[in-house]
Amino acid sequence: MLAGKKILIAVSGSIAAYKVAFLVRLLTARNAQVKVIMTESAKDFITPLTLATLSEGPVYSSLFNNDTGEWHNHVKLGLWADLMLIAPASANTIAKMTNGVCDNLLLATYLSAKCPVFFAPAMDLDMLAHASTQQNIATLIARGNYLIDSESGLLASGLVGPGRMAEPENLVEILENHFKKGAFHGKKILITSGPTHEAIDAVRFISNSSSGKMGKAIALAFAKQGAEVIFVSGPTSNYPGHSQISLIKVKTADEMFAVCKQRYPEVDYAIFAAAVADYKPQCMSAQKLKKNGAPLHIKLTENPDIAFELGKLKSNKQFHVGFALESNDAEHFAKEKLNKKNFDLIVVNCLEDAGAGFGHETNKITIYDRANKKTSFELKSKDKVAIDLLYLITTHE
Ligand code: C5P
């Protein structure tokens, strides 16, 4: 999995830097190509000679070599890498990454890297718990960096708690999963998408302006990760085309429910991205209704709540993700839905956020999990939002 992969390890100043020797050893043993960047303070914890020897190449730490005038091209380093892992990521480096500070080679490379960036915080538990550190970590996640959470245990300070850098074996496993041909290989995913049309008469219907773009992006992201996707979509012009995706077109909520119920027992994940109409006309007129000068009253009746009904059937091997488009008090309503519909994660977008939700190419989401953890992301393309969602799912199983 890691053979031939170009991994750039960036080491900042924390006692956990000693673990990087093991990390580099594990990576080279898997035939990964490893280059190492160190900050000046990282060198207080582990020598460049150790990491140069283990990575079989020079360690980079300054933008240029004063003796020879040689310039270390941070852009080239960033472009060389298939993946950059900042480990350990100290509170200081995390704060600088968040604020675009560029006063060393590690930060210059981070700012110009085009590859996925993972960061593994390591610090004392109070530094980690501090509101500014938490805010910085949340900002980096929101920008699409991948957090490898610290572990709980005995810290260098003698205190016990969260803040230990993830163990090298665990870091390697996460990198392997990232490169694995399809993290969702062999998994089946049910995705509902788009609006539903609830007929009033032969030509008219009740619906909403869901475009199906978010559902399509999620389906493609899963398919690219090797999953088999059952894509149940209401009428839209956004259908994903991929050999791993089977498309089932439906019109009404009842039809969508019937298909989902039938396919549900075979799936590992269900993603409820459809904007299902809550109500349908009680009676549909087979003829086109004529106007006759009098008010027209259409009696509505409730549609099945697909997510709620399947939530009742969910086994502990199945994983549900719901969506909520809210206009006010988003957190409160989202958490209520998470519980009521038995979701594992709920993805929330707010009508107030410009560029988010129905019809847009972009979305701005916040995800809540069952442990009440909130992860917020910046406004970004729906394709990138889908990748963020997939990564969060893999960290919640
Ligand atoms: O209650 P609300 O409609 O806001 O809930 C949104 C979530 O429930 C979405 O994940 C949506 O796909 C799902 N849902 C559903 N069937 C309905 C209504 C909503 O699956 N009838």
Side-chain angles (χ1 to χ4, degrees):
M1 226 90 63
L2 289 173
K5 295 288 181 234
K6 298 177 185 130
I7 314 279
L8 186 59
I9 304 287
V11 191
S12 64
S14 150
I15 178 64
Y18 81 88
K19 295 186 188 175
V20 177
F22 299 98
L23 172 65
V24 172
R25 193 73 202 90
L26 290 173
L27 290 171
T28 52
R30 284 160 177 74
N31 294 321
Q33 294 181 47
V34 180
K35 289 191 193 221
V36 180
I37 298 178
M38 296 177 82
T39 62
E40 282 308 311
S41 66
K43 294 180 189 170
D44 293 333
F45 297 97
I46 184 166
T47 69
L49 182 60
T50 306
L51 296 182
T53 309
L54 291 169
S55 66
E56 298 166 12
V59 161
Y60 303 88
S61 59
S62 56
L63 282 157
F64 46 83
N65 182 332
N66 264 334
D67 297 333
T68 62
E70 187 191 358
W71 183 55
H72 297 137
N73 188 333
H74 57 91
V75 177
K76 263 197 181 158
L77 270 176
L79 290 178
W80 170 84
D82 293 319
L83 184 149
M84 180 175 186
L85 168 61
I86 300 163
S90 65
N92 182 44
T93 289
I94 287 173
K96 287 179 173 179
M97 285 160 66
T98 310
N99 290 292
V101 177
C102 185
D103 63 0
N104 62 35
L105 182 69
L106 183 154
L107 295 163
T109 309
Y110 166 69
L111 287 176
S112 47
K114 293 260 185 297
C115 59
V117 177
F118 286 67
F119 66 110
M123 63 196 76
D124 205 43
L125 79 170
D126 293 318
M127 292 168 78
L128 182 63
H130 195 280
S132 58
T133 309
Q134 286 301 312
Q135 177 70 47
N136 291 338
I137 290 175
T139 302
L140 291 178
I141 295 171
R143 290 182 188 155
N145 300 279
Y146 298 106
L147 168 70
I148 303 180
D149 232 344
S150 59
E151 295 170 3
S152 223
L154 180 64
L155 301 164
S157 61
L159 298 173
V160 176
R164 281 168 68 98
M165 186 178 84
E167 292 303 321
E169 294 78 9
N170 298 341
L171 293 172
V172 170
E173 193 186 329
I174 287 169
L175 302 196
E176 277 180 331
N177 281 340
H178 173 77
F179 287 114
K180 211 191 278 173
K181 265 233 163 317
F184 288 90
H185 180 78
K187 302 288 183 194
K188 259 195 195 170
I189 327 284
L190 174 72
I191 300 177
T192 69
S193 183
T196 60
H197 285 186
E198 310 298 333
I200 298 169
D201 67 15
V203 291
R204 302 181 180 97
F205 55 83
I206 297 173
S207 189
N208 56 64
S209 45
S210 165
S211 64
K213 285 179 184 164
M214 195 63 246
K216 175 183 172 180
I218 296 168
L220 287 170
F222 270 114
K224 284 179 194 158
Q225 288 297 326
E228 205 180 307
V229 179
I230 303 163
F231 190 75
V232 188
S233 176
T236 71
S237 50
N238 284 302
Y239 301 118
H242 192 287
S243 57
Q244 294 283 115
I245 303 177
S246 52
L247 170 64
I248 303 172
K249 293 184 186 178
V250 294
K251 276 208 176 107
T252 66
D254 283 323
E255 286 170 20
M256 188 176 269
F257 184 37
V259 173
C260 289
K261 225 174 12 182
Q262 192 202 353
R263 304 301 300 268
Y264 183 69
E266 59 189 286
V267 304
D268 305 288
Y269 302 83
I271 316 290
F272 300 95
V276 184
D278 287 330
Y279 291 94
K280 62 187 166 201
Q282 198 166 44
C283 307
M284 178 215 164
S285 161
Q287 308 296 321
K288 184 180 170 199
L289 291 171
K290 298 274 182 224
K291 57 184 170 193
N292 60 11
L296 173 67
H297 297 282
I298 301 171
K299 199 156 184 189
L300 300 177
T301 173
E302 256 189 63
N303 263 328
D305 188 320
I306 303 167
F308 176 74
E309 295 302 330
L310 297 188
K312 289 195 277 189
L313 305 176
K314 189 173 83 170
S315 74
N316 53 14
K317 290 199 189 97
Q318 288 168 310
F319 192 95
H320 285 196
V321 179
F323 278 73
L325 178 65
E326 303 292 347
S327 54
N328 61 300
D329 216 355
E331 181 161 347
H332 169 75
F333 288 119
K335 285 182 180 167
E336 208 173 70
K337 274 175 206 170
L338 180 88
N339 289 321
K340 183 178 161 215
K341 304 198 187 196
N342 201 12
F343 292 139
D344 296 281
L345 296 177
I346 189 155
V347 181
V348 187
N349 27 58
C350 260
L351 274 171
E352 280 117 62
D353 289 329
F358 282 0
H360 295 285
E361 297 302 327
T362 50
N363 205 357
K364 184 173 188 307
I365 61 164
T366 297
I367 302 181
Y368 297 91
D369 68 13
R370 296 201 72 87
N372 246 331
K373 190 167 173 206
K374 169 181 173 180
T375 310
S376 297
F377 297 87
E378 289 186 343
L379 183 74
K380 54 181 81 172
S381 75
K382 287 186 171 170
D383 294 344
K384 290 203 169 124
V385 169
I387 292 166
D388 287 337
L389 173 62
L390 259 63
Y391 183 69
L392 215 67
I393 291 172
T394 57
T395 59
H396 274 81
E397 289 174 288

